[in-house]
């Protein structure tokens, strides 16, 4: 039998998987849930084309817009101010945060003070006896803004005042404007810091703008409040950054600042409370608070109805949660002193400090998760944010072939295989 002609039976050439348009790739990956950012990172590591696509501002904005209506930004973790350390703010990822890992786990010499829209407000603790600060500085610490996803740290200029501040509190706000809840991509947007200080004669509010790099005075009141600000508790922002609320130390009043007008007023709690945590209610339209009922081991949540003049009309109990239905028996030891530790605005998660440790209670699902803590802490600041900037790292770590042709073929093939794994998720 004659041999076939040369080349007649050559094996078919292997062809690369067809290249999908960028719009189709985005349509698939934009459906990755924001609570699991590790899936996006895995997709970016499949090939450099995906990495460049996901790192672009267009995809990041579309990703946030897609998930904004369906779900709020996830709680990726919290900052714990550790005791007996001389000042350490440690980032602790929460279970179910999708493997989020900040660029830096700890900030030595700092205390976490507030967090909002992906930024953390820190105070740098200066050694006692420091004398080289300008005269009239506002506090024995320096404010700074930190982005845990990029490790960017920006120190704010000192705020000079005529008199020493006796007590103060501060909050970080997004400076991009827009309606309440319309904070889609705040990491690169301008920001503001609201500082409220009480001295021997006045209560004064200042606002720092990242655009101008300067502090401006927005209000002064010599009649408020006859109390100290509770520096251990972060403020609560309502109505699209229009109003900031700070708890007062005696536990029976809230100091409200209208950022636009500079007007201050006091809200009176329904009764004296030893330890409460302020909360934003009804999508940021109302102020509320949570308290622990002892010895009932129950959690009670209040909200307030305000009149047209901004004065409270009445406080109402919106919910009572029996903790024995959500926490293990070891957490509910009789005669223990549990307390509400913090509340994650937007995520609907409340932190409870119990005798056997720290718990995160999801108010929507009722699921409580115990969070391992290896060190003691005196305050925690929840960190709630969409997370995609880490994908920029994939541009430098995506594996590719050495030649241009092999690189293109390998990239398309790896990307196509990875897309097939996400098709079920996208449907």
């Amino acid at each position: 039998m004659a041999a076939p002609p040369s080349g007649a039976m050559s094996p078919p050439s292997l062809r690369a998987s067809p290249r999908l348009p960028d719009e189709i790739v985005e349509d698939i990956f934009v459906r990755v849930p924001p609570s699991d950012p590790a899936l996006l990172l895995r997709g970016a590591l499949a090939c450099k084309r995906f990495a460049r696509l996901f790192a672009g501002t267009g995809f990041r904005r579309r990703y946030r817009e897609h998930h904004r209506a369906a779900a709020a930004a996830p709680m990726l973790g919290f900052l714990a101010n550790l005791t007996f350390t001389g000042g350490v703010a440690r980032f602790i990822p929460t279970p179910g945060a999708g493997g989020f890992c900040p660029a830096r786990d700890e900030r030595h010499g700092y205390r976490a003070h507030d967090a909002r829209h992906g930024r953390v407000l820190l105070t740098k603790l200066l050694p006692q006896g420091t004398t080289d600060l300008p005269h009239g500085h506002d506090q024995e610490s320096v404010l700074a803004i930190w982005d845990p996803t990029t490790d960017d740290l920006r120190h704010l200029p000192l705020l000079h005042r005529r008199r020493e501040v006796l007590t103060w509190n501060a909050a970080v706000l997004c400076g991009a404007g827009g309606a309440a809840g319309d904070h889609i991509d705040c990491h690169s947007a301008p920001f503001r810091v609201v500082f409220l200080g009480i001295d021997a004669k006045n209560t004064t509010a200042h606002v720092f703008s990242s655009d101008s790099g300067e502090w401006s005075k927005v209000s002064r009141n010599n009649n408020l409040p006859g109390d100290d600000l509770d520096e251990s508790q972060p403020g609560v922002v309502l109505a699209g950054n229009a109003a900031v609320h700070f708890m007062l130390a005696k536990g029976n009043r809230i100091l409200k600042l209208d950022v636009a007008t500079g007007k201050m007023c006091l809200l009176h709690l329904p009764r004296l409370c030893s330890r409460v945590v302020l909360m934003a209610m009804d999508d940021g339209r109302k102020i509320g608070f949570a308290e622990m009922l002892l010895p009932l081991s129950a959690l009670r949540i209040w909200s307030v109805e305000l009149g047209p003049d901004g004065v409270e009309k009445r406080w109402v109990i919106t919910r009572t949660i029996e903790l024995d239905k959500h926490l293990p028996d070891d957490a509910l030891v009789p005669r223990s002193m549990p307390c509400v530790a913090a509340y994650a605005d937007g995520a609907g998660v409340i932190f409870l400090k119990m005798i056997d440790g720290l718990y995160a209670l999801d108010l929507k699902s009722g699921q409580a998760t115990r969070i391992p803590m290896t060190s003691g802490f005196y305050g925690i600041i929840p960190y709630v944010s969409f997370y995609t900037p880490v994908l920029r790292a994939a541009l430098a770590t995506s594996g590719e072939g050495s030649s241009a042709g092999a690189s293109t073929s390998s990239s398309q093939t790896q990307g196509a295989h990875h897309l097939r794994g996400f098709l079920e998720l996208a449907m």
Side-chain angles (χ1 to χ4, degrees), residues 180-204:
D182 191 27
H183 300 278
I184 299 174
D185 193 3
C186 300
H187 289 266
S188 59
F191 67 87
R192 294 181 293 168
V193 174
V194 175
F195 179 93
L196 199 63
I198 300 176
D199 58 32
K201 293 186 177 181
N202 301 299
T203 300
T204 309

Side-chain angles (χ1 to χ4, degrees), residues 33-35 64 67-75 181 283 344-348 364 384-386:
S35 60
R64 288 161 171 77
H67 291 285
R68 181 184 59 184
M75 184 179 67
D283 295 328
D345 274 336
K364 296 179 181 179
V384 177
S385 176
F386 285 109

Side-chain angles (χ1 to χ4, degrees), residues 2 6 10 13 15 30 34 82 104 116 123 184 282 289 332 348 426:
S6 176
S10 59
S13 60
R15 293 183 299 172
V30 80
L82 305 184
R104 182 193 298 259
R116 197 166 287 106
T123 55
I184 299 174
D282 296 339
F289 70 90
L332 303 171

